[in-house]
Amino acid sequence: MTTMKAAVYVEPGRIELTEKPLPAIGPDDALMRITTTTICGTDVHILKGEYPVTPGLTVGHEPVGVIEKLGANLQGYYEGQRVIAGAICPGFTSFACQDGHPAQDGGGHGHGYKPMGGWRFGNTIDGVQAEYVRVPDAQANLAPIPDGLNDEQVLMCPDIMSTGFVGAESAAIGIGDIVAIFAQGPIGLCATAGARLHGASCIIAVDGIDQRLAISRNMGADVTLNFHEVDVISEILKLTGGRGVDAAIEALGTQATFESALRVLKPGGTLSSLGVYSSDLTLPLDAFCSGLGDHRIVTSLCPGGKERMRRLVDVVSAGRVDTASLVTHRYALDDIVEAYDLFAHQRDGVLKVAITP
């Protein structure tokens, strides 16, 4: 076999399934046969033209699969092994990586930094919504899947779970903290689970869809607020006795959610931002306390690498969180254009779509 099916970006509004050559691999790479992947909100930004990529690029960055072929330099893996790779797959040799910021890996740049440079799949190299993908620097990025876990149980590890959890990590949630999480899509739901694992005593989940709020209670939310039904800011301030929350996590990427997160934050609290923003943000002067409120605003791109993936897989394996429940729809790769239409328009209660070649 010399060709494969792959979903490629064509132009704003068009992602199509086409035939592409089977990826060639170098000595440090692995060829992965994709068994399950999914569609991310970032892929929708690409589809809409809000995040630019090169036309003809294979999209997608959440791979679950089997090692088809190993580069000559790889050790400790075997062909036929079930593995995942992170959406962020740095080389781990740059200054940025060794400075603790692998998601900002600049690769061969002299200074070693590039914003979002560790995000290669479906951004700067061909991605994983295909039958096969080349995993670069595979020794650093491939993580085995333990026996007993199926594809859907680990499907969220490469991105959604890693991103949601880093939102809780960046928020520096401590034992007994009160946390508000704005938006309960897949990332917000994983942030809710992460906040619970970090020891929050009260997790307040905010969304406009009751179905998602019900799922958030299963993921660890103590209080759920539908912004169509209540004044969320007033309600959260009332719940905290007017103090505000210790940490607020923004998991959508809009002015409204970012501003709401800031408005419910206590002086000295942390706003952890996970959203992908497609327009400029404005800081409201009163909520920003004129810049004197000791607030900490942190942005995060999910960490990558095999150790990050191993830890997340172990959390799933130990039963600490169930992310397989986030898969609401299943499609064959042949029908991925239809899957994009469903996911981009958020119909039929969709959360995550499992795509199988």
Side-chain angles (χ1 to χ4, degrees):
M1 187 174 67
T2 58
T3 63
M4 65 174 186
K5 296 175 183 178
V8 303
Y9 171 77
V10 179
E11 62 184 4
R14 284 181 63 199
I15 284 175
E16 295 183 353
L17 193 67
T18 189
E19 289 281 329
K20 297 187 78 168
L22 204 66
I25 65 168
D28 296 319
D29 305 330
L31 182 66
M32 182 195 292
R33 175 172 60 84
I34 300 298
T35 53
T36 309
T37 185
T38 184
I39 299 172
C40 178
T42 307
D43 297 323
V44 175
H45 283 289
I46 290 172
L47 170 65
K48 293 179 178 180
E50 296 171 346
Y51 185 89
V53 299
T54 303
L57 185 79
T58 302
V59 290
H61 51 263
E62 297 161 278
V64 181
V66 174
I67 296 174
E68 185 78 7
K69 186 177 180 181
L70 288 169
N73 292 342
L74 268 65
Q75 299 178 0
Y77 298 96
Y78 59 89
E79 293 176 0
Q81 186 176 19
R82 295 179 64 228
V83 290
I84 62 172
I88 307 302
C89 52
F92 287 100
T93 57
S94 72
F95 289 105
C97 287
Q98 296 189 24
D99 190 30
H101 299 285
Q104 317 302 327
D105 179 11
H109 291 278
H111 52 71
Y113 291 83
K114 181 183 178 183
M116 301 173 290
W119 170 30
R120 293 192 271 182
F121 290 137
N123 183 21
T124 57
I125 66 173
D126 277 337
V128 308
Q129 290 171 12
E131 293 181 289
Y132 293 87
V133 67
R134 177 182 72 88
V135 180
D137 299 296
Q139 189 74 47
N141 289 298
L142 285 179
I145 301 171
D147 293 338
L149 293 182
N150 63 41
D151 281 14
E152 290 188 7
Q153 287 177 288
V154 298
L155 181 57
M156 304 306 150
C157 293
D159 181 3
I160 300 303
M161 186 177 172
S162 186
T163 299
F165 277 24
V166 82
E169 291 162 331
S170 296
I173 295 169
I175 300 295
D177 276 355
I178 301 175
V179 181
I181 302 172
F182 288 83
Q184 290 294 290
I187 288 176
L189 289 167
C190 287
T192 297
R196 179 180 62 177
L197 290 173
H198 271 262
S201 63
C202 180
I203 300 169
I204 305 165
V206 179
D207 203 278
I209 302 174
D210 285 335
Q211 178 189 4
R212 293 188 174 191
L213 291 172
I215 296 170
S216 73
R217 287 190 284 273
N218 293 333
M219 300 294 277
D222 301 289
V223 178
T224 56
L225 301 176
N226 187 321
F227 61 76
H228 294 302
E229 299 174 358
V230 298
D231 183 327
V232 168
I233 295 170
S234 295
E235 193 67 23
I236 291 176
L237 290 177
K238 185 190 304 180
L239 287 167
T240 59
R243 181 186 67 125
V245 297
D246 298 286
I249 300 175
E250 194 288 322
L252 184 60
T254 68
Q255 174 68 38
T257 47
F258 182 90
E259 184 171 328
S260 294
L262 187 59
R263 288 190 179 280
V264 301
L265 196 61
K266 75 174 186 182
T270 299
L271 193 164
S272 176
S273 172
L274 296 174
V276 178
Y277 300 94
S278 55
S279 61
D280 290 345
L281 286 173
T282 300
L283 286 175
L285 189 63
D286 58 338
F288 193 50
C289 302
S290 301
L292 302 175
D294 285 340
H295 293 127
R296 183 170 173 261
I297 299 175
V298 185
T299 65
S300 301
L301 179 58
C302 66
K306 64 184 180 183
E307 172 61 7
R308 176 70 170 186
M309 294 300 104
R310 180 197 67 78
R311 288 175 177 269
L312 297 179
V313 167
D314 282 357
V315 169
V316 173
S317 186
R320 294 293 190 266
V321 64
D322 173 22
T323 56
S325 62
L326 303 186
V327 177
T328 55
H329 296 72
R330 295 164 181 85
Y331 283 85
L333 180 62
D334 286 341
D335 301 317
I336 195 167
V337 173
E338 180 183 341
Y340 262 99
D341 186 67
L342 171 81
F343 188 76
H345 292 95
Q346 289 292 290
R347 295 195 306 270
D348 194 27
V350 65
L351 279 174
K352 290 292 282 185
V353 177
I355 306 292
T356 52

